[in-house]
Amino acid sequence: MALERLRIGIDLGGTKIAGVALDSEGATRAEGRVPTPRGDYGGTLAAVADLVAALEAEAGTGGASVGVGMPGAVSRTTGLIKNANSVWLNGKPFARDLSARLNRPVRVENDANCLAVSEAVDGAGAGAGIVWAVILGTGVGSGIAVESRALAGRNVIAGEWGHNPLPWPQDDERPGPACYCGRHGCIETWLSGPGLAADFHRSTGETWKGEAIVAAALSGEARARASLARYLDRLGRGIAHVVNILDPDVIVLGGGLSRIESIVAALPEAIAPHVFSDAFDTPVRASLHGDASGVRGAAWLWEDTE
């Protein structure tokens, strides 16, 4: 009897590499994780290849398809990695090298797009035509899935939402905080966890982490509540700007800040006033698969091979 061909997904992060093997129904047949060999390109290639082999051994099958999600992209001009915060991968032919090492084709996609694909296939956006997945964590980004496939764009930057300016800025939001990209007022500087902490510091002079601000706000602390209210207003504006361009069928939230139920529940009301329509009824949902969405989405990059 022929062995079932599985899909392996790899989430290549800056500190860890996670892997999963999914069957055709999306059930997990094997999973694992290893530390990322930081600063070591050859070591990273070897770690990914060894993890693929371990997953196949655990699942009892070989020849699985392999998809990789990473915080960066493969340049369509050069075939080299660009925009990765795991900087030792930039300028390297990672996709080609991994394919040669595994002796099979691989698909490499931005990790935010993998989140969108995961949630579009069997998550909070299952059955939707256009899924926009927003990541709210240490950084801010997003990914787009159309009919359960990643939309990368001509320049492989579709969904790079975090490095656009905060829309409809108020006077005290100009020019905005300095961003590591060299500009001021990027959405990431306002809507990341560190961005929330920076807002609290500007208004109180005190240094609190984002988690502490949220916990205090939920318990009724006035200064934290005010900071979280400003955050929600900015998030509503930032999301509405994309809704006016993309008009997705579902908005899925991922990252640490997406786990705050009060933010998810209040977002539609914060978005609606800025949407260029007589009504706004787009569902806003937390990701169904949570932290596993990226690795599952990497596996589903081969969803079209059935």
Side-chain angles (χ1 to χ4, degrees):
M1 183 175 68
L3 294 174
E4 179 185 14
R5 186 166 187 253
L6 301 182
R7 296 181 178 88
I8 286 178
I10 300 293
D11 186 4
L12 176 51
T15 59
K16 70 178 185 304
I17 304 171
V20 67
L22 302 181
D23 65 18
S24 59
E25 301 300 318
T28 299
R29 293 280 300 278
E31 57 187 334
R33 64 175 56 192
V34 296
T36 301
R38 293 183 60 81
D40 183 349
Y41 177 68
T44 300
L45 276 172
V48 172
D50 289 347
L51 182 54
V52 169
L55 292 168
E56 289 183 325
E58 182 181 341
T61 188
S65 63
V66 177
V68 180
M70 60 181 298
V74 178
S75 167
R76 288 188 174 159
T77 302
T78 66
L80 307 179
I81 298 298
K82 65 176 182 177
N83 300 340
N85 57 14
S86 298
V87 294
W88 62 94
L89 301 176
N90 287 327
K92 298 293 197 299
F94 176 79
R96 291 199 300 264
D97 287 347
L98 183 61
S99 177
R101 188 176 285 258
L102 295 175
N103 195 30
R104 73 193 81 170
V106 299
R107 293 182 180 177
V108 177
E109 186 58 77
N110 180 266
D111 55 359
N113 283 342
C114 289
L115 167 64
V117 168
S118 173
E119 296 297 326
V121 171
D122 62 356
I130 301 175
V131 176
W132 182 39
V134 174
I135 298 177
L136 303 171
T138 304
V140 169
S142 75
I144 303 164
V146 179
E147 302 299 338
S148 298
R149 298 188 188 182
L151 177 65
R154 182 182 181 92
N155 298 295
V156 205
I157 56 170
E160 287 290 355
W161 175 60
H163 292 284
N164 288 280
L166 183 72
W168 303 290
Q170 300 173 10
D171 288 342
D172 62 355
E173 293 172 337
R174 299 186 181 94
C179 182
Y180 72 86
C181 74
R183 295 177 172 85
H184 282 77
C186 289
I187 284 171
E188 180 166 303
T189 68
W190 296 108
L191 298 180
S192 62
L196 174 61
D199 174 86
F200 186 82
H201 179 76
R202 283 191 296 270
S203 64
T204 67
E206 298 181 18
T207 301
W208 291 16
K209 291 186 176 180
E211 297 91 335
I213 296 167
V214 171
L218 296 179
S219 67
E221 205 276 340
R223 298 174 305 165
R225 289 187 64 181
S227 192
L228 194 59
R230 289 190 294 272
Y231 179 90
L232 184 63
D233 171 66
R234 291 164 180 154
L235 182 57
R237 282 184 268 152
I239 288 178
H241 198 215
V242 176
V243 170
N244 286 340
I245 299 168
L246 183 65
D247 199 11
D249 295 301
V250 180
I251 300 167
V252 178
L253 305 181
L257 290 167
S258 72
R259 301 188 188 101
I260 305 166
E261 293 182 4
S262 58
I263 287 181
V264 179
L267 253 182
E269 186 175 348
I271 297 168
H274 308 287
V275 173
F276 191 62
S277 175
D278 61 342
F280 172 72
D281 61 0
T282 307
V284 179
R285 301 168 180 160
S287 64
L288 180 64
H289 296 297
D291 292 340
S293 250
V295 71
R296 290 179 63 87
W300 285 124
L301 293 175
W302 289 88
E303 190 269 343
D304 59 352
T305 60
E306 285 289 289

